[in-house]
Amino acid sequence: MSTTQSERLRGLLEPLVSAEQLDLEEIEVSRAGRRRVLRIIVDSEEGVELDACAELSRAISEKLDETDAMGDDEYVLEVSSPGADRPLTEHRHYVRATGRLAKLHLREGGELVARILAVDEEGLDLEVPGVKGRKPTSRRVAFDEIAKARVEIEFSRKDKKEEEA
């Protein structure tokens, strides 16, 4: 998608997304055969429910029908929340991932898998799991040390209530 089209779509759609108290995370236009797919990713502090995506999809569809932002070609509109393993690229992403396990690729090489305990303007306070029965350790990582980061999906994490029992 051209930068001009991306900027135009963002300018057109951001007010609709903001009106629903959501953040516009990503706009992507891709090809699927003869059609194009317009994928809109939205999020919020509380997450995004399916009904909110459906309602927003209707509003976006109406707005796109009123304008020529997508041109005359056929397209499919998809409005969804980010996946569970989405990259952490913005400060708010790290804040929303507090308490979750994340994989961080560090600029100076190496990677780190740790639980995000706290986030401030400069970086993250992490809990690095202990290996082979050792206790977890604390670590501080500044944002400028992180090349990329992604939430790790945990299938067997114990809930705090289970830990207290």
Side-chain angles (χ1 to χ4, degrees):
M1 173 169 61
S2 71
T3 304
T4 306
Q5 184 184 26
S6 175
E7 290 170 1
R8 184 171 180 204
L9 285 169
R10 184 167 285 278
L12 188 67
L13 303 179
E14 193 124 43
L16 294 173
V17 174
S18 295
E20 298 296 324
Q21 284 78 48
L22 298 172
D23 297 318
L24 179 56
E25 295 290 345
E26 185 178 337
I27 297 175
E28 176 187 322
V29 177
S30 60
R31 283 260 171 223
R34 287 182 277 159
R35 293 184 185 175
R36 291 178 296 158
V37 176
L38 172 58
R39 189 168 291 117
I40 310 293
I41 307 295
V42 296
D43 202 3
S44 77
E45 294 296 325
E46 297 80 33
V48 182
E49 293 185 6
L50 186 59
D51 289 344
C53 285
E55 189 174 314
L56 183 59
S57 180
R58 284 189 289 278
I60 289 172
S61 182
E62 287 174 15
K63 185 61 128 179
L64 292 173
D65 288 347
E66 293 171 5
T67 68
D68 65 345
M70 290 300 292
D72 294 331
D73 294 341
E74 290 183 32
Y75 67 93
V76 175
L77 174 62
E78 295 178 2
V79 177
S80 67
S81 62
D85 64 343
R86 73 120 172 267
L88 303 173
T89 57
E90 303 283 336
H91 184 268
R92 68 178 177 265
H93 298 164
Y94 289 96
V95 171
R96 291 175 186 160
T98 300
R100 308 268 318 263
L101 201 61
K103 180 184 269 186
L104 302 131
H105 294 269
L106 304 175
R107 291 196 189 283
E108 294 189 11
E111 62 183 39
L112 175 65
V113 176
R115 188 161 314 281
I116 300 172
L117 298 177
V119 181
D120 59 29
E121 295 305 315
E122 287 82 39
L124 312 170
D125 291 326
L126 304 170
E127 179 184 77
V128 181
V131 180
K132 295 183 181 178
R134 293 191 176 137
K135 290 187 176 190
T137 58
S138 297
R139 180 162 176 188
R140 175 78 179 168
V141 176
F143 286 120
D144 61 3
E145 295 177 62
I146 302 170
K148 64 181 181 176
R150 181 177 301 275
V151 169
E152 288 284 284
I153 298 173
E154 296 180 85
F155 292 106
S156 61
R157 181 177 180 199
K158 289 183 180 179
D159 191 350
K160 288 188 180 206
K161 292 177 186 173
E162 290 178 32
E163 290 175 0
E164 293 171 0

